[in-house]
């Protein structure tokens, strides 16, 4: 019995007191009891500290490498490829496109963007020279998707494609081939801020192609997703002109809601600038088409009054007569609202001399 008492006393001595145990909480926030704390501490001592992971080795991009000038080498290989094409007459010759693709890889890995751009443009130029439009589209898609392709090379490829599209009609380059090239270039420029202006132009060209083919709905769908107002590479005039084309296509498609939403992107104050007067007339004519569909005569009168109050319209006798007559007519057809009498008095005061030459319009304004 004395032995048992001694062993029990030793066990009690080895157990740390409750006050010495720091409170332990589990990952879910529950505080452990005294016995559970002792078990937890024992497990942590057995497990030891976790081994530290070795640091990851930094990966090096092609653009981080030192540039090696390959301009002379690229010019030499391009000249050799042109001579080989003149001798064989086929793009399938290994000394033509295949050799230039190898040259492009070497220039790209040497971080020489200028030489890479020259080689890419040369490949597309050889395809255009042989009128092989399928090869041109295929090589274009191949070059822009290569690893760590430089922005300069992609910009040069897109510019070369635009040059092909804007050139005069070439043999074999029909609407089907044009659409393939347009779609490839649109896919290339998608999401690239340094190609915003080119993307806007390509999208408009593709939409125009669909419209000429009679597919107005497809043309409108292509244009509607382009948020051209966020493009910093375009001027104010180009943005307004682009949005007006979007509104026109939405009205032609019959989507009045989206046409109205797009029209809100144009600031009315911007249209009052002297160099945007033609766009102002075009905008309010489109809005008059919208208000005709909405059966809103007072809004129509406001649109025609804005058209009349434009320098280029006031200088043309037929234009201001039509705009002022329409203003008076739609004001007379408008419901009696608080703004209608006020606008009638403003029109009579501002266009008094010209209304004398339109007695019927003046009579309508005074009658109502």
């Amino acid at each position: 019995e004395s032995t048992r008492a001694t062993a029990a006393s030793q066990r009690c001595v080895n157990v740390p007191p409750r006050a010495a145990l720091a409170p332990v909480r589990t990952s879910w926030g529950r505080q452990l009891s005294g016995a559970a704390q002792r078990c937890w501490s024992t497990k942590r001592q057995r497990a030891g500290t976790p081994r530290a992971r070795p640091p990851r080795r930094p990966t090096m991009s092609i653009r981080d490498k030192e540039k090696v000038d390959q301009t002379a080498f690229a010019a030499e290989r391009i000249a050799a490829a042109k001579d080989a094409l003149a001798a064989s007459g086929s793009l399938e010759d290994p000394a033509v496109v295949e050799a230039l693709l190898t040259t492009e890889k070497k220039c790209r890995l040497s971080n020489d963007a200028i030489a890479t751009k020259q080689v890419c443009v040369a490949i597309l130029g050889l395809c255009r020279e042989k009128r092989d439009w399928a090869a041109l589209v295929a090589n274009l898609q191949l070059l822009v998707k290569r690893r760590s392709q430089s922005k300069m090379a992609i910009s040069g490829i897109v510019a070369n494609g635009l040059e092909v599209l804007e050139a005069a009609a070439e043999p074999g380059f029909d609407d089907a081939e044009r659409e393939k090239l347009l779609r490839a270039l649109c896919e290339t420029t998608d999401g690239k801020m340094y190609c915003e202006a080119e993307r806007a132009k390509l999208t408009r060209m593709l939409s125009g192609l669909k419209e000429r083919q009679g597919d107005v709905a497809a043309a409108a769908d292509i244009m509607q997703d382009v948020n051209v107002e966020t493009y910093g590479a375009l001027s104010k005039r180009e943005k307004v002109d682009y949005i007006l084309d979007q509104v026109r296509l939405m009205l032609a498609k019959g989507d009045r809601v989206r046409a109205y939403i797009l029209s809100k992107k144009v600031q009315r104050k911007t249209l009052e600038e002297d160099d945007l007067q033609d766009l102002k007339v075009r905008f309010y004519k489109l809005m008059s088409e919208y208000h005709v569909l909405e059966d809103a005569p007072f809004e129509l009168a406001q649109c025609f009054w804005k058209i009349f109050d434009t320098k280029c319209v006031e200088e043309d006798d037929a234009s201001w007569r039509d705009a002022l007559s329409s203003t008076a007519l739609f004001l007379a057809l408008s419901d009696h609202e608080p703004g209608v009498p006020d606008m009638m008095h403003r029109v009579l005061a501002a266009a008094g001399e010209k209304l004398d030459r339109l007695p019927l319009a003046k009579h309508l304004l005074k009658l109502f």
Side-chain angles (χ1 to χ4, degrees):
E1 291 181 2
S2 61
T3 306
R4 291 179 182 177
T6 304
S9 64
Q10 287 179 356
R11 286 198 301 270
C12 292
V13 169
N14 293 333
V15 175
R18 288 176 180 256
L21 292 173
V24 177
R25 291 184 179 272
T26 58
S27 59
W28 56 88
R30 180 180 176 184
Q31 186 169 348
L32 300 178
S33 62
Q37 288 186 34
R38 288 191 291 272
C39 181
W40 184 282
S41 302
T42 305
K43 286 183 176 180
R44 291 185 64 180
Q45 289 175 3
R46 290 176 181 175
T49 57
R51 289 191 307 170
R53 293 183 179 180
R56 293 184 177 181
R57 298 177 62 184
T59 57
M60 181 177 289
S61 174
I62 292 176
R63 297 191 182 95
D64 297 332
K65 296 181 179 179
E66 185 179 355
K67 177 183 175 181
V68 179
D69 190 5
Q70 300 286 353
T71 307
F73 173 74
E76 180 184 349
R77 300 311 302 165
I78 290 170
K82 289 181 178 179
D83 294 339
L85 180 63
S88 63
S90 174
L91 293 172
E92 301 297 331
D93 188 352
V96 186
V97 175
E98 187 177 343
L100 286 180
L101 288 174
T102 305
T103 305
E104 183 273 337
K105 180 180 179 180
K106 183 175 181 179
C107 297
R108 179 165 42 86
L109 295 178
S110 300
N111 200 17
D112 190 350
I114 297 175
T116 307
K117 175 184 173 181
Q118 292 174 352
V119 176
C120 293
V121 171
I123 293 173
L124 300 181
L126 294 178
C127 296
R128 182 183 179 186
E129 181 182 340
K130 299 304 293 183
R131 305 289 190 270
D132 193 342
W133 309 115
L136 188 144
V137 173
N139 284 294
L140 183 147
Q141 294 174 329
L142 173 65
L143 290 169
V144 298
K145 291 180 180 179
R146 287 200 153 184
R147 175 174 172 264
S148 298
Q149 188 62 276
S150 64
K151 294 180 181 180
M152 185 181 293
I154 294 176
S155 300
I157 292 169
V158 173
N160 188 269
L162 273 171
E163 183 182 344
V164 174
L165 292 167
E166 293 174 347
E170 300 188 29
F173 195 58
D174 54 4
D175 285 350
E177 298 295 339
R178 181 179 293 272
E179 183 177 352
K180 290 179 183 177
L181 181 57
L182 278 169
R183 290 193 180 277
L185 289 170
C186 287
E187 181 183 353
T188 299
T189 55
D190 187 20
K192 295 179 175 60
M193 294 183 65
Y194 55 91
C195 291
E196 285 179 344
E198 290 82 359
R199 175 164 178 75
K201 193 171 187 178
L202 289 164
T203 309
R204 200 168 188 176
M205 292 172 72
L206 181 58
S207 176
L209 177 63
K210 285 295 182 182
E211 189 177 7
R212 288 195 302 272
Q213 293 174 352
D215 196 351
V216 179
D221 292 339
I222 291 169
M223 289 280 285
Q224 71 180 8
D225 294 328
V226 182
N227 298 318
V228 73
E229 68 277 5
T230 64
Y231 288 5
L234 298 179
S235 65
K236 189 183 300 183
R237 182 181 182 84
E238 290 172 332
K239 291 179 183 180
V240 174
D241 183 54
Y242 201 96
I243 294 172
L244 293 184
D245 211 16
Q246 290 177 320
V247 175
R248 178 185 64 82
L249 286 171
M250 290 300 123
L251 290 173
K253 182 185 176 182
D255 193 346
R256 287 181 283 175
V257 176
R258 193 174 291 274
Y260 182 72
I261 293 172
L262 288 169
S263 70
K264 288 295 184 181
K265 295 181 178 182
V266 181
Q267 295 182 0
R268 274 54 172 178
K269 187 185 297 185
T270 304
L271 296 173
E272 300 299 330
E273 298 180 7
D274 293 337
D275 57 338
L276 300 178
Q277 294 300 293
D278 56 331
L279 296 180
K280 175 184 175 182
V281 174
R282 184 180 162 198
F283 172 78
Y284 284 109
K285 284 184 177 179
L286 287 172
M287 294 311 298
S288 66
E289 293 181 19
Y290 169 78
H291 292 306
V292 165
L293 297 173
E294 293 290 325
D295 193 17
F298 183 49
E299 284 75 11
L300 277 166
Q302 291 176 324
C303 288
F304 282 108
W305 179 246
K306 286 290 186 180
I307 293 173
F308 171 77
D309 189 22
T310 309
K311 285 185 179 180
C312 59
V313 174
E314 290 178 353
E315 294 171 356
D316 185 22
D317 189 69
S319 298
W320 73 257
R321 282 176 177 271
D322 179 67
L324 190 56
S325 301
S326 300
T327 303
L329 176 61
F330 287 112
L331 277 174
L333 292 174
S334 300
D335 296 333
H336 188 70
E337 299 175 359
V340 175
D342 178 67
M343 186 173 178
M344 285 183 174
H345 287 94
R346 285 191 290 112
V347 172
L348 285 169
E353 295 181 0
K354 292 187 176 179
L355 279 173
D356 293 337
R357 300 168 61 181
L358 299 172
L360 181 59
K362 187 174 183 179
H363 180 66
L364 279 173
L365 292 174
K366 289 186 174 181
L367 186 62
F368 288 91

